[in-house]
């Protein structure tokens, strides 16, 4: 598709061990020498790597559209039922309408009401391994803490959240090595959402799913497809990114005792530190958009219908936008990072993600202020390079009386 001769091509594949080990030197070369480049991997896509280019494109939803089911992921992950994720895979004005339906549930003041129970949940998880001298921060802390957070936010019982976790693992972990298992997980999750929405239509209660199930827009309820698309995004969209964000932050702190000590002694710094961890260790490295018309940029033409990767991980390390961009500066201000996107598609769940990170880091440091990466069980990074995080992250620490 498009004019092949006019493309600056690069051998870029973010789903390889080599790239996952060091994406940042690749980003630097792209930003400096090839700010618009084309990869033939995964069916072909353009790469936008500079901060200003990514920011401008995210605001320009008319040209760089999200309204193509499965195409915000690269490679594409079109769901087997072809139901778009709502509101992520829609554009204004429909996107705005969908977003406004649930906005009150995601407001910071509303979300922060969960902090006492989240704090208690973090403490309970840490108690389980604090006497052992080691833990896997992914499987024993970040993942179950995120499950507790989702349960509290949605007012779901923990056993339901555990079932959702199994489906989420199937969808995310298996999409490359076991696509049939991923599709099966998608189907089973969709069936669960249908059952939950049907139950709430008959027996509404004070929760987000009941709000959606009983909502009427212009006198009409949401369709079953809309409810499934919305429910799927609520249950899955932020899960992996928040687990990765917590793991990334604690991975950095395990190797930087001065930063650990500073956060312990200056608790008022935590909010700024969370923002800097999001910038410096972007849990979402890239998301795709689809060009709705031909676009001239950096002397090349992005053709209508082509995929364009918004390289958040690169934009957030762009020295044109951030002084000392390759350093983690805990008190960085201002910090206009793009970890949650920007513009109409900025992450609606960002306040909940920030709460999860703040509580996870604060409570871990409060109980285990000194910890280090395990040499016996070194970290294992994920190979799905659109997200940056760990499959295994074991740390060791002294058992305190």
């Amino acid at each position: 598709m498009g004019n092949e001769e006019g493309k600056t091509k690069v051998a870029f594949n973010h789903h390889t061990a080599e790239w996952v080990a060091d994406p940042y030197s690749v980003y630097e070369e792209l930003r400096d020498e090839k700010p618009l480049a084309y990869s033939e991997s995964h069916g072909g896509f353009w790469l936008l790597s500079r901060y200003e280019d990514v920011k401008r494109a995210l605001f320009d939803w008319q040209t760089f559209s999200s309204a193509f089911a499965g195409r915000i992921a690269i490679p594409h992950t079109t769901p087997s039922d072809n139901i778009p994720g709502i509101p992520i895979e829609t554009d204004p004005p429909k996107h705005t309408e969908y977003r406004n339906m649930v906005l009150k549930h995601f407001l910071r003041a509303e979300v922060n009401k969960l902090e006492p129970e989240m704090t208690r949940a973090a403490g309970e998880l840490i108690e389980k391994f604090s006497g052992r001298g080691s833990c896997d921060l992914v499987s024993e802390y970040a993942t179950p803490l995120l499950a507790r957070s989702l349960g509290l936010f949605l007012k779901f019982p923990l056993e339901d959240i555990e079932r959702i976790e199994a489906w989420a693992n199937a969808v995310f972990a298996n999409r490359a090595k076991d696509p049939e298992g991923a599709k099966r997980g998608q189907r089973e999750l969709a069936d669960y959402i249908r059952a939950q929405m049907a139950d709430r239509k008959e027996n509404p209660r004070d929760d987000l799913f009941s709000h959606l199930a009983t909502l009427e827009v212009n006198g009409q309820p949401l369709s079953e497809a809309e409810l499934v698309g919305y429910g799927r995004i609520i249950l899955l969209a932020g899960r992996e990114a928040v687990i990765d964000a917590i793991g990334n932050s604690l991975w950095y702190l395990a190797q930087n005792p001065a930063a650990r000590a500073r956060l312990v002694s200056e608790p008022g710094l935590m909010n700024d530190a969370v923002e800097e961890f999001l910038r410096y260790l972007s849990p979402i490295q890239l998301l795709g958009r689809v060009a709705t018309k031909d676009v001239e940029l950096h002397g090349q033409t992005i053709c209508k219908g082509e995929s364009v990767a918004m390289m958040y991980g690169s934009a957030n390390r762009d020295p044109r936008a951030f002084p000392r961009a390759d350093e983690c500066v805990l008190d960085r201000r201002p910090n206009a990072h793009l970890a949650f996107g920007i513009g109409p598609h900025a992450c609606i769940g960002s306040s909940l993600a920030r709460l999860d990170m703040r509580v996870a880091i604060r409570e871990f440091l409060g109980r285990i202020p000194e910890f280090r990466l395990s040499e016996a069980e070194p970290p294992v990074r994920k190979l799905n390079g659109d997200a940056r995080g760990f499959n295994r992250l074991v740390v060791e620490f002294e058992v305190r009386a």
Side-chain angles (χ1 to χ4, degrees), residues 151-313:
L152 290 168
F153 177 67
L154 294 174
K155 301 180 182 177
F156 276 18
L158 192 56
E159 55 266 29
D160 277 24
I161 295 298
E162 289 170 351
R163 292 168 65 198
I164 293 164
E165 281 291 298
W167 290 319
N169 285 331
V171 171
F172 288 115
N174 294 343
R175 65 188 183 196
K177 63 184 179 183
D178 182 12
E180 288 306 310
K183 289 178 181 177
R184 187 167 56 252
Q186 278 187 345
R187 287 194 301 270
E188 291 176 359
L189 178 62
D191 289 342
Y192 170 83
I193 294 168
R194 289 187 185 96
Q196 293 296 315
M197 293 295 185
D199 175 59
R200 280 163 174 75
K201 283 184 180 180
E202 295 296 319
N203 306 290
R205 37 214 188 256
D206 180 25
D207 64 18
L208 179 52
F209 267 36
S210 294
H211 173 71
L212 287 169
T214 58
L215 188 68
E216 290 192 354
V217 181
N218 299 323
Q220 295 296 318
L222 296 180
S223 68
E224 181 182 274
E226 287 175 311
L227 291 174
V228 169
Y230 225 136
R232 185 183 282 153
I233 290 301
I234 289 168
L235 294 175
L236 295 184
R239 172 192 176 274
E240 188 176 22
V242 177
I243 292 169
D244 292 343
I246 293 170
N248 291 343
S249 304
L250 293 172
W251 170 82
Y252 174 82
L253 290 170
Q255 301 168 89
N256 290 275
R260 284 201 311 268
R262 189 175 180 198
L263 278 181
V264 170
S265 64
E266 298 179 51
L269 191 60
M270 184 59 71
N271 288 339
D272 287 345
V274 163
E275 299 305 316
E276 182 66 346
F277 292 143
L278 286 164
R279 181 200 71 84
Y280 183 68
L281 303 161
S282 306
I284 296 176
Q285 290 285 295
L286 62 92
L287 281 177
R289 297 290 190 269
V290 178
T292 60
K293 61 184 180 183
D294 290 0
V295 183
E296 296 291 329
L297 186 64
H298 294 295
Q300 301 176 77
T301 302
I302 301 170
C303 293
K304 179 180 179 179
E306 291 186 315
S307 291
V308 186
M310 305 290 137
M311 311 287 284
Y312 295 169

Side-chain angles (χ1 to χ4, degrees), residues 86-88 98-114 149-150 152-154 207-209 211-212 230-239 242 340 346-356:
I86 296 173
I88 290 178
Y98 282 137
R99 190 180 173 102
N100 288 343
M101 291 175 186
V102 299
L103 189 59
K104 67 178 183 180
H105 293 269
F106 290 92
L107 295 174
R108 184 188 306 170
E110 198 64 28
V111 164
N112 283 349
K113 293 176 184 177
L114 303 177
S149 171
L150 194 59
L152 290 168
F153 177 67
L154 294 174
D207 64 18
L208 179 52
F209 267 36
H211 173 71
L212 287 169
Y230 225 136
R232 185 183 282 153
I233 290 301
I234 289 168
L235 294 175
L236 295 184
R239 172 192 176 274
V242 177
F340 291 121
C347 176
I348 195 172
S350 60
S351 291
L352 184 59
R354 287 180 166 106
L355 170 66
D356 292 337

